[in-house]
Amino acid sequence: MESELPPLGQLRWQCRRGMLELDYVLIGFLDRHYAGLSPEDQRLFIRILDFEDQLLLDWVMGNVVPSDANIRRLVALMQMRT
């Protein structure tokens, strides 16, 4: 049984991090691209939101490369589409 995905309003709240650059990337990606992702990638995006702000910022700014291949792929999408 697939787990139900949280509503967009809840995800929007989770994307608000208090770091303007990170807020811009996460909320922008959520608004423009989340709905078009596969359910697996939607769950991966939700999982990414559990990471610490500084690490997320380092990933999206390209300062650090995620070791997990799936996270690396989704972060690359976020970098290209924001």
Side-chain angles (χ1 to χ4, degrees), residues 24-68:
Y24 175 77
V25 170
L26 294 175
I27 292 171
F29 188 80
L30 178 71
D31 289 345
R32 291 188 293 273
H33 305 290
Y34 177 80
L37 296 175
S38 69
E40 295 80 18
D41 281 349
Q42 288 178 345
R43 283 189 285 280
L44 184 60
F45 179 76
I46 293 164
R47 187 173 141 221
I48 283 174
L49 296 178
D50 287 335
F51 286 92
E52 291 185 19
D53 293 356
Q54 188 59 54
L55 181 58
L56 286 173
L57 184 63
D58 284 341
W59 284 348
V60 298
M61 299 302 287
N63 299 330
V64 175
V65 176
S67 58
D68 182 286

Side-chain angles (χ1 to χ4, degrees), residues 60-82:
V60 298
M61 299 302 287
N63 299 330
V64 175
V65 176
S67 58
D68 182 286
N70 288 319
I71 292 175
R72 193 168 46 244
R73 180 181 51 77
L74 190 59
V75 167
L77 282 176
M78 293 169 70
Q79 291 169 327
M80 292 184 327
R81 296 186 178 180
T82 54

